[in-house]
């Protein structure tokens, strides 16, 4: 698809590949990733694509590790947790467009937490990020979920005795801004409708392996189980301290990962 876009210098709106339904409306909802992979392939063949995949996996771990140190975690706690996270993510570390979401989710989490520590105007730059993300991969919805949960969690913390109600309203506005920004794609609002239909299609959820519930077998799944149980235990400790944003994030992605194995790295 990326090669076709580069050759034709236009977006894809009709099915290029189907024998039984040629010319049907079609959504290349990862067109920017397709173009990037096509350029990599032109530059160095499949080796370049594979190298990008390995670099993205390493960068994913690097961001996680640096984020934990930024939070004040002990080096000898952060390091094994990073290895556990990498082991967990290996089940989906493939040279595919979802690598961009795998990189951008921890970036978005760090960005939001930095703003919660010291609010500033930079949080509004998430709207341009949403534009890029919406053209890279369907996982741009993760950004909307993270911001909406940050708003809800901050509001709960305010009710619990904090003074962060205005901050909660701010994150709600940033969520709406990012949602509006995501309309800047070749398909407009139709992309959102297509994603909604895609994620609710029974034949996809029941047949495609990565969309099915995980099977707890194999070494990556052992890493995942350790991370899952430890994270849920940490939620209890954070809730006792009146913290709600991180527990909401953890519980949301824990639920998503138990429904669909493709969410386990997130």
């Amino acid at each position: 698809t990326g090669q076709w876009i580069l050759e034709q210098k236009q977006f894809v709106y009709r099915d290029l590949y189907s024998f039984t339904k040629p010319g049907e409306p079609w959504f290349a909802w990862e067109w920017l990733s397709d173009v990037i992979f096509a350029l990599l392939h032109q530059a160095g063949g499949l080796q370049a694509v594979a190298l990008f995949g390995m670099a993205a996996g390493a960068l994913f771990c690097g961001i996680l590790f640096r984020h934990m140190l930024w939070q004040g975690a002990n080096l000898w706690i952060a390091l094994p947790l990073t290895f556990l996270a990498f082991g967990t993510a290996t089940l989906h570390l493939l040279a595919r467009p979802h690598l961009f979401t795998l990189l951008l989710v921890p970036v978005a989490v760090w960005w939001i937490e930095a703003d919660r520590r010291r609010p500033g105007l930079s949080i509004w730059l998430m709207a341009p990020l949403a534009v890029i993300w919406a053209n890279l991969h369907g996982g741009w919805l993760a950004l909307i979920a993270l911001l909406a949960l940050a708003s809800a969690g901050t509001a709960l913390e305010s009710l619990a005795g904090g003074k962060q109600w205005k901050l909660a309203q701010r994150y709600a506005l940033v969520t709406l801004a990012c949602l509006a920004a995501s309309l800047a794609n070749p398909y407009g609002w139709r992309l959102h409708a297509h994603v909604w239909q895609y994620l609710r299609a029974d034949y996809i959820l029941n047949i495609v392996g990565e969309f099915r519930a995980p099977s707890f077998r194999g070494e990556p799944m052992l890493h995942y189980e350790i991370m899952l149980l430890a994270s849920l235990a940490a939620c209890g400790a954070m809730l006792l301290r009146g913290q709600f944003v991180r527990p909401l994030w953890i519980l949301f992605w824990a639920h998503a990962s138990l429904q669909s194995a493709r969410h386990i790295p997130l």
Side-chain angles (χ1 to χ4, degrees), residues 60-70 74-80 82 110:
F60 165 67
C61 292
I63 295 170
L64 288 178
F65 182 64
R66 288 294 304 147
H67 182 205
M68 283 189 277
L69 295 182
W70 177 82
N74 181 282
L75 171 68
W76 302 109
I77 294 176
L79 197 59
T82 302
W110 196 345

Side-chain angles (χ1 to χ4, degrees), residues 147-157 168 244-245 248:
L147 284 167
L149 291 170
S151 177
T154 306
L156 288 171
E157 289 174 5
F244 289 92
V245 174
L248 283 177

